[in-house]
């Protein structure tokens, strides 16, 4: 019997992974932890994601895209090229890494 992917289950897995990655970090979070928090089985995670790394990317990519979009939106308001460059470096080296996301 074919398995059907349900968006609600996928989102529950993503939400659980995000919370656990934030709280414990990527390395300390197991797929079993994520499955328990999402109220599904570990095997079911593989229906939606190929690996723990694939799951990390699915959580991380929208998070990072939002931060880069915000940075891009802020840059046109800075007219001085040196200040604009300083803003980019500050965002990439301090602000985004220090955002408490738990992906490290």
């Amino acid at each position: 019997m074919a398995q059907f992917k349900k968006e609600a289950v996928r989102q529950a897995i993503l939400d659980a992974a995000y919370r656990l990655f934030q709280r414990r970090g990527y390395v300390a979070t197991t797929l079993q932890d994520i499955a328990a928090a999402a109220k599904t089985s570990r095997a079911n995670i593989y229906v939606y994601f190929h690996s723990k790394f694939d799951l990390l990317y699915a959580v991380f990519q929208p998070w990072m895209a939002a931060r880069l979009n915000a940075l891009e939106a802020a840059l046109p308001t800075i007219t001085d090229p040196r200040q604009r460059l300083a803003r980019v470096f500050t965002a990439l080296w301090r602000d985004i890494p220090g955002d408490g996301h738990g992906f490290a």
Side-chain angles (χ1 to χ4, degrees):
M1 178 176 185
Q3 291 187 344
F4 296 97
K5 295 183 180 180
K6 298 177 185 168
E7 185 55 33
V9 174
R10 182 180 188 280
Q11 193 59 52
I13 294 167
L14 287 169
D15 293 344
Y18 182 81
R19 283 191 314 273
L20 291 168
F21 291 156
Q22 267 192 318
R23 200 173 325 141
R24 299 179 184 173
Y26 174 77
V27 173
T29 301
T30 66
L31 285 177
Q32 188 59 45
D33 297 332
I34 295 167
K39 296 181 174 54
T40 190
S41 68
R42 193 178 107 174
N44 200 32
I45 291 176
Y46 287 107
V47 171
Y48 297 88
F49 303 97
H50 296 292
S51 65
K52 182 179 165 186
F53 186 74
D54 185 37
L55 177 54
L56 171 70
Y57 186 77
V59 170
F60 179 75
Q61 192 282 328
W63 177 90
M64 183 59 128
R67 271 123 193 104
L68 293 176
N69 289 338
L71 173 60
E72 185 177 22
L75 290 178
T77 64
I78 304 170
T79 57
D80 181 89
R82 288 178 190 253
Q83 289 179 351
R84 186 181 298 182
L85 187 58
R87 178 67 186 108
V88 169
F89 286 140
T90 300
L92 294 177
W93 291 343
R94 186 192 69 199
D95 298 344
I96 293 173
D99 198 6
H101 47 70
F103 295 126

